[in-house]
Amino acid sequence: MNKGFLCIGLDPDIKRIPDRFLKDINPLWEFNKYIIDETIEYAKAYKPNIAFYEAYGSNGLEALKKTIEYVKKIDKNITVILDAKRGDIGNTASFYAVSIFEDFKADGTTLSPYMGFDSIEPFLKYKDKYIFILGLTSNPSNKDFQFIRTEDGKFLYEKVIDKVIEWNKKYYNGIGLVIGATNKEISELKNKLKGIPLLIPGIGTQKGEIDILKGILSDNVFINVARDIIYSNSPKTKAKFYFDELNRLNNLI
Ligand code: OMP
């Protein structure tokens, strides 16, 4: 089966998950298990964001671990991206990498480029893993820094994108970018980003338009939707909707 392009965000908020899960010892895990069972036929990837688990201490981290193991047990070909947006000096970053890739055994993660190459380098020895570096983010305040003009007239986000493409060619092809679907600039970036792994959040609750993704979909592109699927009355129906929409878009090319 063609697994499409849909990456389902597993960002469970105890205040929003249905009451029937709250009596369980670990509601986050039981909720995630339900979401995975409902949606796995439409998911190319899952993306738990570590914030939603760290907020609940050891119980939360246990839920995260079980969630990743569960996805892998059902289908080892499904990609699990542990969204952690790390970025620190090399020595510290090397421990983040061990945590994400060796302990949690995720297939990919997200990194902030702000501290430069030595904060990214410790992740590069895991050549079978994806790293998605924040390029152009989906949030309204992306204007604060990412749209600062640099000395050669380019925006800062364009410099980040250029650098990540350079690293992708120089080091290995799992090095990619986060590009938010809320940005109209996506249309102009399509050609430049061909062949680069992409994690694209912002569709659904953040109101990114799905049609903007025309021409950008390919094997290593992951379109993330979290809240709009996991809190819907029927996560299965919603996941199928996005799965079908993305395939429709891909077939238009
Ligand atoms: P929903 O808005 O509920 O679909 O969730 C979006 C998910 O993608 C959250 O886990 C965010 O932390 C993450 N995200 C963004 O929303 N915007 C970005 O620019 C980058 C990310 C990310 O790195 O995944």
Side-chain angles (χ1 to χ4, degrees):
M1 185 189 181
N2 161 26
K3 283 303 274 185
F5 308 95
L6 181 61
C7 170
I8 298 176
L10 296 172
D11 296 352
D13 174 350
I14 215 138
K15 293 191 211 72
R16 294 194 65 182
I17 70 181
D19 286 348
R20 65 180 188 279
F21 296 105
L22 300 182
K23 56 184 182 321
D24 289 308
I25 296 172
N26 199 330
L28 299 191
W29 153 240
E30 295 296 337
F31 176 67
N32 279 356
K33 182 170 177 299
Y34 156 73
I35 297 291
I36 293 162
D37 289 342
E38 285 279 289
T39 59
I40 199 149
E41 63 185 297
Y42 305 114
K44 165 186 181 158
Y46 287 94
K47 183 179 76 67
N49 182 312
I50 202 163
F52 295 84
Y53 304 88
E54 285 176 343
Y56 299 100
S58 56
N59 224 21
L61 294 177
E62 189 192 317
L64 175 58
K65 202 153 211 184
K66 281 173 125 165
T67 299
I68 296 173
E69 282 166 7
Y70 188 64
V71 172
K72 288 290 169 188
K73 200 173 86 190
I74 300 180
D75 185 346
K76 64 175 174 18
N77 294 318
I78 292 185
T79 304
V80 178
I81 301 162
L82 179 48
D83 180 8
K85 297 187 183 65
R86 300 305 191 200
D88 209 324
I89 62 163
N91 182 50
T92 310
S94 70
F95 284 84
Y96 278 141
V98 168
S99 163
I100 290 167
F101 293 146
E102 297 184 33
D103 184 33
F104 283 111
K105 299 189 168 52
D107 303 306
T109 192
T110 52
L111 300 177
S112 164
Y114 195 69
M115 287 180 70
F117 183 69
D118 62 19
S119 70
I120 307 287
E121 194 175 19
F123 291 85
L124 302 186
K125 73 172 204 208
Y126 301 89
K127 295 211 181 326
D128 55 338
K129 310 283 189 184
Y130 283 108
I131 54 170
F132 297 96
I133 297 170
L134 298 175
L136 181 56
T137 60
S138 67
N139 55 319
S141 300
N142 68 1
K143 303 282 175 296
D144 288 352
F145 301 120
Q146 294 162 37
F147 284 82
I148 288 175
R149 286 240 184 241
T150 59
E151 73 284 358
D152 60 5
K154 286 188 175 178
F155 289 122
L156 185 57
Y157 83 81
E158 296 179 282
K159 304 281 269 199
V160 172
I161 289 174
D162 289 348
K163 189 50 90 179
V164 172
I165 293 173
E166 187 189 313
W167 290 341
N168 172 287
K169 309 262 178 283
K170 185 165 177 192
Y171 297 105
Y172 76 102
N173 59 12
I175 302 175
L177 284 153
V178 176
I179 305 286
T182 50
N183 298 291
K184 61 175 180 1
E185 287 78 5
I186 279 199
S187 310
E188 298 141 32
L189 291 169
K190 277 172 196 167
N191 282 338
K192 184 180 243 196
L193 295 175
K194 275 211 165 59
I196 304 294
L198 299 176
L199 172 62
I200 305 189
I203 299 288
T205 310
Q206 295 181 55
K207 304 252 183 305
E209 302 273 343
I210 208 160
D211 284 339
I212 208 173
L213 304 174
K214 185 166 167 266
I216 210 164
L217 301 172
S218 74
D219 272 356
N220 53 8
V221 172
F222 299 84
I223 309 301
N224 183 79
V225 181
R227 285 167 292 181
D228 201 36
I229 291 179
I230 67 175
Y231 302 127
S232 83
N233 290 334
S234 172
K236 190 189 202 90
T237 309
K238 256 292 158 71
K240 180 176 186 321
F241 167 78
Y242 282 115
F243 176 87
D244 289 344
E245 276 293 279
L246 291 168
N247 283 342
R248 173 189 66 81
L249 219 53
N250 189 42
N251 290 333
L252 289 179
I253 318 303

